[in-house]
Amino acid sequence: MDDQLNFAPCGYLTMDRNGYIFEMNATLQKMLGQQELEWNGQHIHSLLTTPSRIYYQTYFLPLLDINGDVNEIYLTLKSTTGKIPVLMNAIERKIEHETRIECVIVEMKIRDEYENELIQERRNAESVVQKTDKAYEGLQQLLKEVECKKNELETINEKLKVLALTDSLTGLKNRRYFEEQLLLFIESYTTSHIPFSLLAIDIDHFKRINDTFGHPIGDLVLQEVSLILQESKRPHDIVARIGGEEFIILLPETNLEKAFDIAELTRKRFELFEWSYTPLTISSGVTMVRQGDTTTTIIRRTDATLYASKNAGRNIVSIG
């Protein structure tokens, strides 16, 4: 650690996700009244009062997982001269091929009335824990509840991740997910020459459906189209709605000839399907990855083939 960081006007430490400390600058050591041998390899819990441990366990890692950082978390540290109220910010990043959590700690001199009351309640809780076995049992129960809340937060976070990659109307993957997967497929093709193709689909004259039947019926039509695409895809194909009435299917390990066959079968299925409201057809465009492709070039080429089908009269498949 260089002198500029070591003697910075704020505390600084790094730790792993389990809370074990790797580094601590001289400013924080002075704040705590500790030497390096006392804190090296210790858990961050050893620096915190009991209420702050509970607060840390409840909020710190869930916030880090959801946001990628933690801003303005209030804690109370234990020092050789007493308790120190601090403000801590943290961020997780790679340091020398290892994941580390970097924390900046600033001593707080002024708290608003609510924060002061909260600190007092924490001190009271510490006193009760030390004096009675009953309070200790209550604290253990509280810790169990905290763990349950942490698990609930993690579950909610996973659900949010899924929702962030899903089209809310159709349940298909959204454009963001498709572009992330497309980048991975291009990287795989660049390194391993594993081919793939894209199939773009656009509902013909969809505006006419909205104008004739109304947007609620239009939404039902989009859901019906999505169900057909989902049921007819192969197990490893990725179907996404990328906007309006436009859909795209990522076809792994598929050459251009096979992609065209899939597109033609899909087009015929739409043409012959018994629709709930009005007959539908689709225009399609297919292309295969090429050497030097980026997400921009292959999407642009796919769009061009789709526009070629629409300009040629619709209800056809074009190759690009």
Side-chain angles (χ1 to χ4, degrees):
M1 186 183 303
D2 59 43
D3 286 348
Q4 187 174 7
L5 181 58
N6 198 27
F7 298 100
C10 61
Y12 171 85
L13 66 81
T14 61
M15 60 182 175
D16 62 20
R17 285 188 65 86
N18 295 320
Y20 289 96
I21 300 170
F22 287 107
E23 290 183 296
M24 180 187 298
N25 73 350
T27 304
L28 184 55
Q29 292 178 47
K30 181 178 179 181
M31 188 187 306
L32 298 173
Q34 293 187 355
Q35 301 297 322
E36 183 173 357
L37 292 178
E38 296 178 272
W39 61 259
N40 190 21
Q42 295 296 312
H43 198 278
I44 191 170
H45 283 181
S46 66
L47 308 181
L48 302 175
T49 62
T50 300
S52 282
R53 292 180 189 176
I54 298 173
Y55 191 73
Y56 172 87
Q57 291 174 335
T58 304
Y59 296 105
F60 187 82
L61 284 179
L63 284 173
L64 197 65
D65 290 336
I66 293 171
N67 301 324
D69 59 20
V70 176
N71 291 314
E72 298 185 3
I73 183 171
Y74 290 95
L75 300 170
T76 303
L77 303 182
K78 297 184 296 186
S79 76
T80 54
T81 58
K83 299 170 185 176
I84 306 172
V86 297
L87 171 68
M88 184 169 78
N89 287 2
I91 188 170
E92 186 176 39
R93 68 188 186 93
K94 292 284 188 180
I95 300 178
E96 296 179 354
H97 309 294
E98 292 183 341
T99 299
R100 298 285 178 86
I101 300 174
E102 294 186 280
C103 304
V104 173
I105 298 173
V106 180
E107 185 175 356
M108 303 300 292
K109 297 296 184 182
I110 301 175
R111 297 287 188 103
D112 60 32
E113 183 177 347
Y114 174 80
E115 295 288 341
N116 284 326
E117 290 177 357
L118 182 60
I119 291 173
Q120 186 59 48
E121 289 301 320
R122 290 172 181 169
R123 290 172 177 167
N124 292 341
E126 274 191 291
S127 176
V128 171
V129 168
Q130 293 169 355
K131 292 179 180 178
T132 67
D133 291 339
K134 183 178 180 180
Y136 177 77
E137 292 173 359
L139 180 58
Q140 295 305 306
Q141 181 61 36
L142 177 59
L143 289 173
K144 291 179 181 179
E145 293 175 4
V146 166
E147 185 65 25
C148 289
K149 291 297 182 183
K150 176 185 173 183
N151 293 335
E152 289 177 10
L153 282 172
E154 291 175 348
T155 300
I156 291 171
N157 186 39
E158 288 302 316
K159 290 180 179 179
L160 287 174
K161 288 180 180 179
V162 172
L163 289 174
L165 301 174
T166 303
D167 177 61
S168 59
L169 176 64
T170 64
L172 297 177
K173 298 302 183 181
N174 60 17
R175 187 183 192 99
R176 176 183 172 186
Y177 179 86
F178 162 72
E179 290 179 348
E180 289 177 355
Q181 293 301 307
L182 178 59
L183 181 60
L184 294 177
F185 272 75
I186 290 175
E187 291 174 351
S188 179
Y189 176 76
T190 302
T191 57
S192 304
H193 302 291
I194 300 174
F196 68 89
S197 295
L198 294 183
L199 164 56
I201 295 171
D202 186 272
I203 303 173
D204 293 332
H205 303 296
F206 183 73
K207 183 177 184 299
R208 187 183 302 167
I209 296 173
N210 281 331
D211 293 343
T212 303
F213 300 99
H215 287 280
I217 298 301
D219 287 348
L220 291 176
V221 169
L222 288 172
Q223 291 172 342
E224 198 166 18
V225 168
S226 302
L227 184 61
I228 294 172
L229 293 175
Q230 195 73 294
E231 289 178 345
S232 60
K233 78 178 186 69
R234 300 174 303 176
H236 299 297
D237 294 343
I238 297 173
V239 183
R241 181 188 177 207
I242 57 175
E245 65 273 23
E246 295 184 18
F247 301 82
I248 197 159
I249 306 178
L250 202 159
L251 305 167
E253 300 183 22
T254 305
N255 60 27
L256 196 57
E257 181 180 358
K258 180 62 176 177
F260 177 82
D261 292 340
I262 293 171
E264 185 63 20
L265 286 172
T266 304
R267 184 195 65 79
K268 290 179 180 177
R269 181 169 185 178
F270 273 76
E271 188 177 43
L272 301 175
F273 190 79
E274 295 183 5
W275 296 96
S276 302
Y277 300 98
T278 183
L280 288 182
T281 61
I282 57 172
S283 297
S284 304
V286 292
T287 192
M288 179 180 168
V289 66
R290 300 174 185 172
Q291 193 66 36
D293 259 338
T294 65
T295 56
T296 301
T297 60
I298 194 171
I299 290 175
R300 184 182 299 147
R301 194 164 64 251
T302 308
D303 288 341
T305 61
L306 180 61
Y307 295 145
S309 293
K310 297 177 77 67
N311 292 334
R314 297 182 169 85
N315 193 25
I316 61 174
V317 179
S318 298
I319 297 177

